[in-house]
Amino acid sequence: SQGIAFEAAWFPIFYILSQHRKVSIREIAESLNISHSAASQMVSSLQEKGFIESMTDEDDARKKLITFTPVGAEMLL
């Protein structure tokens, strides 16, 4: 209704990120009680839209952390 291209399925990830700012895909999957694959697909969809981005964890290079892009953070306002 606000003219924003936003799918309802993305809301849980937005909510988790609004509370923690940086989370791993594993943490998203566990929080939502979904498979790692399902969480990864949701994250990929949000990345394609430019709302979130991933970065390598400084402490564990095998781990990717998800965070808002400036566009995604603006949508919280």
Side-chain angles (χ1 to χ4, degrees):
S1 70
Q2 299 295 318
I4 299 171
F6 189 86
E7 294 182 28
W10 298 339
F11 177 77
I13 292 178
F14 262 73
Y15 179 76
I16 291 168
L17 285 173
S18 74
Q19 302 298 306
H20 302 287
R21 297 297 175 178
K22 288 184 185 178
V23 294
S24 69
I25 292 176
R26 180 175 164 252
E27 291 168 326
I28 291 170
E30 288 175 355
S31 294
L32 301 178
N33 199 27
I34 60 175
S35 69
H36 185 280
S37 178
S40 182
Q41 289 174 7
M42 291 171 67
V43 164
S44 292
S45 181
L46 284 162
Q47 283 179 307
E48 288 174 14
K49 295 292 184 183
F51 297 136
I52 61 174
E53 60 189 353
S54 65
M55 63 185 73
T56 303
D57 187 333
E58 295 175 3
D59 298 327
D60 185 350
R62 299 169 297 173
K63 187 176 183 181
K64 296 285 186 188
L65 296 176
I66 308 304
T67 189
F68 284 119
T69 62
V71 172
E74 187 175 307
M75 289 187 70
L76 288 176
L77 304 174

